Amino acid sequence: FTEKELINQSTELTEDEKRIVKSYLRKVDIRILPIVISIYIFSLIDRGNIGAALVFGLRATLGLTQSQEANATSVFYIIYILLETPSNMILKKFRPHYWFALIGILWSTSCILLSVAKNATTFTLLRGLLGAFESGYAPGVIGYYNYWYTRSEIGLRITLLFFAAPISGIIGGPLASKLASANFGRFKPFQAIFLVEGSITLLLSITAFFVLIDYPDEAKFFTPEEQTLILRRLKNEQGIASQTKVSFRQTFKILQDWKIWTFAIITLGLNNLPIVTGVFGPTIIKAMGYTGTQATNISAIPSACGLVGLTLILYLINKIEYWLLIFMFGSLTGVSYAIVAFATNNTLRLFFLCLAGFGGVAVIPVILTWISANQGGVYKGLIASGITISAGSVCGIVTPRFFVAEYAPKFTNGHVFTLAVLGLAIGLSVFLGIYFRKENKRRDNNFVDVSHLSEEEQRNMYDKHPEFRYKP
């Protein structure tokens, strides 16, 4: 077989090749995962610490009105959404270690400067810059994974990346509470939160510049056998990232794919609940009658449950079809959150808030893995991850409007919105799962010869290549 004939066709590995794959994957994991996950943990803390800051005096010190409070929270997501897809397009033009270090240094500096903002306007501007610079990170890392991992390997790594979400919740609340109660001289409690947490991200981002490797064909830590095999396997699937060409025509073609926009709506519905529990958890819990410190500490518990859910997903991600995982975990999350929203017993509400955290956090890497595994090429994967994560962040603009003090303590409209978009996401996931099964069967029964096309022409077919099979 020629390499052109093997596009989107997996070959059976010998026992020796399986051993080599395990060896090179271990090297890639050690070099990439610890630093990108660590930065992601603190990026989530940097974007979410406004919730704790509001509890610890930000609102009173800057004299924020309800409208200004909502604007300061949502402007992050507005800028974030607008720039995620362009950021991923820029990533393809940059070397990844330059790009991730640069944007990390810039957003951490913005977070540090939040500690010295004197008024609502300056604070809101800095939150916008935080969103602008952070927009390239999460979708960029998921796209960067496609530089190194095949479709069957990426799910485990995306799940490990999203361990950052519950870990940031577990760390973020208590860390913010500890910083707020410590003595930082002339700095107020909320200022200490921004200053210290931003500084940690800054150090990690500088480290990334020296640690990350850009492409597998440039890695010096592989043996010749390992490098040959990783490049062969990647080329047979999505292609080699360093050799992938980018054009406006391909970008426009990718943007016309209805499946990406369906995935985007699903991501929005699934991502809304972790935003609610992560950013507004202290606000919801405080409305139950707890003090600010108690609410901030208790808000870490649903994130800890999310960590348990992610651990289960690590086991299930390659054993159960993606749509079914979303249906199972999404349904559990929806029922649990409905009880949180409308029950009156606080103990019962806290218990089901933990269950909502268990399912809501766990389902996010499932949808992002599903998206990444069904694009058929490095560049399309970058665009798809940018669009879908942008859509998932839209709820960050809308949802803060429902959780301002005016609607406390019930926050009924916010709860109804959260449940409605979650239900829509579950329904669309079932639809896509059925479609992918039928399309795979159609391709199995209808052979199309594309051997007359060049390798580049076949690559540019992405998931429409006749040998490509979707993962339901």
Side-chain angles (χ1 to χ4, degrees):
F1 295 105
T2 67
E3 294 204 30
K4 184 173 70 173
E5 292 172 320
L6 288 176
I7 290 175
N8 290 318
Q9 300 180 53
S10 57
T11 55
E12 192 69 30
L13 296 175
T14 66
E15 289 304 313
D16 188 52
E17 286 175 330
K18 290 178 182 178
R19 178 188 59 77
I20 295 172
V21 168
K22 287 182 180 179
S23 174
Y24 81 61
L25 283 177
R26 184 167 55 250
K27 292 179 179 180
V28 174
D29 289 343
I30 290 173
R31 193 60 179 262
I32 291 176
L33 299 186
I35 186 64
V36 298
I37 293 172
S38 297
I39 293 174
Y40 193 42
I41 288 170
F42 278 91
S43 78
L44 293 172
I45 290 175
D46 289 343
R47 77 172 68 168
N49 56 18
I50 188 174
L54 288 168
V55 171
F56 286 109
L58 172 63
R59 183 182 295 113
T61 301
L62 297 189
L64 299 177
T65 64
Q66 289 181 359
S67 177
Q68 289 171 332
E69 178 183 328
N71 288 338
T73 304
S74 61
V75 70
F76 170 93
Y77 293 100
I78 295 172
I79 305 298
Y80 191 91
I81 289 164
L82 291 174
L83 295 182
E84 276 183 303
T85 302
S87 292
N88 262 21
M89 295 168 69
I90 294 171
L91 169 59
K92 190 63 193 70
K93 301 287 188 179
F94 268 72
R95 285 188 167 270
H97 81 283
Y98 283 118
W99 179 247
F100 292 131
L102 174 64
I103 62 176
I105 290 169
L106 291 173
W107 93 61
S108 58
T109 302
S110 300
C111 182
I112 291 169
L113 291 175
L114 287 171
S115 66
V116 295
K118 300 298 184 184
N119 52 57
T121 301
T122 304
F123 187 86
T124 303
L125 175 62
L126 288 169
R127 282 282 298 179
L129 290 174
L130 183 70
F133 299 132
E134 198 177 315
S135 66
Y137 192 73
V141 168
I142 292 173
Y144 176 59
Y145 277 1
N146 282 309
Y147 292 15
W148 297 88
Y149 301 109
T150 64
R151 297 167 69 204
S152 62
E153 296 160 354
I154 199 168
L156 177 66
R157 279 76 189 180
I158 291 179
T159 304
L160 288 172
L161 176 68
F162 278 85
F163 266 74
I167 290 173
S168 69
I170 294 168
I171 294 174
L175 176 60
S177 181
K178 188 73 174 177
L179 292 171
S181 61
N183 182 8
F184 282 84
R186 64 184 182 86
F187 287 100
K188 297 180 183 295
F190 76 88
Q191 292 176 314
I193 293 172
F194 293 132
L195 176 63
V196 175
E197 292 179 352
S199 297
I200 294 172
T201 310
L202 178 62
L203 291 174
L204 288 171
S205 301
I206 294 171
T207 302
F209 179 83
F210 298 100
V211 171
L212 288 180
I213 303 296
D214 296 324
Y215 306 110
D217 42 334
E218 297 179 357
K220 304 298 184 185
F221 50 78
F222 291 136
T223 65
E225 293 82 6
E226 290 170 345
Q227 192 158 55
T228 298
L229 187 54
I230 188 174
L231 293 178
R232 190 190 86 195
R233 296 181 72 225
L234 290 172
K235 191 167 186 178
N236 286 352
E237 282 199 1
Q238 64 262 38
I240 306 299
S242 61
Q243 300 172 8
T244 300
K245 297 179 181 179
V246 177
S247 70
F248 176 80
R249 181 181 178 183
Q250 287 302 315
T251 303
F252 185 70
K253 178 182 175 182
I254 290 167
L255 293 175
Q256 296 177 66
D257 186 353
W258 65 270
K259 298 186 296 300
I260 291 179
W261 300 104
T262 305
F263 274 130
I265 296 171
I266 295 171
T267 308
L268 185 154
L270 297 178
N271 195 50
N272 188 60
L273 194 136
I275 286 179
V276 170
T277 56
V279 177
F280 299 103
T283 301
I284 294 171
I285 295 169
K286 187 179 180 183
M288 296 181 190
Y290 296 93
T291 67
T293 300
Q294 288 174 329
T296 303
N297 289 330
I298 293 172
S299 68
I301 299 175
S303 296
C305 293
L307 193 63
V308 177
L310 281 175
T311 303
L312 181 58
I313 288 295
L314 277 177
Y315 175 75
L316 298 175
I317 192 77
N318 290 322
K319 294 180 173 63
I320 298 178
E321 290 184 341
Y322 298 120
W323 75 268
L324 185 55
L325 283 175
I326 291 172
F327 178 80
M328 289 167 22
F329 280 80
S331 298
L332 172 65
T333 301
V335 172
S336 299
Y337 190 79
I339 294 173
V340 174
F342 303 113
T344 56
N345 183 284
N346 283 346
T347 302
L348 184 69
R349 294 176 73 191
L350 286 175
F351 173 78
F352 279 97
L353 183 61
C354 293
L355 268 186
F358 170 87
V361 171
V363 81
I364 299 303
V366 178
I367 180 59
L368 295 177
T369 300
W370 198 17
I371 293 163
S372 185
N374 283 301
Q375 302 311 314
V378 170
Y379 186 56
K380 189 174 184 184
L382 284 169
I383 300 296
S385 65
I387 290 173
T388 52
I389 295 179
S390 293
S393 302
V394 167
C395 45
I397 301 173
V398 179
T399 305
R401 308 284 175 176
F402 296 125
F403 288 92
V404 294
E406 177 184 354
Y407 300 117
K410 293 187 176 181
F411 302 109
T412 302
N413 292 340
H415 297 321
V416 170
F417 174 75
T418 299
L419 291 169
V421 294
L422 177 60
L424 177 61
I426 293 170
L428 288 175
S429 297
V430 174
F431 165 75
L432 266 187
I434 294 171
Y435 169 79
F436 284 154
R437 282 185 173 186
K438 288 188 174 181
E439 180 61 16
N440 285 346
K441 186 176 181 180
R442 187 191 69 80
R443 293 184 185 186
D444 288 342
N445 296 330
N446 293 275
F447 174 75
V448 177
D449 183 13
V450 292
S451 61
H452 60 286
L453 299 178
S454 68
E455 180 177 336
E456 182 179 355
E457 288 173 322
Q458 291 194 46
R459 295 279 179 213
N460 290 340
M461 296 178 76
Y462 300 114
D463 58 297
K464 292 185 177 180
H465 191 285
E467 295 295 338
F468 185 90
R469 294 297 180 269
Y470 293 104
K471 292 180 179 289

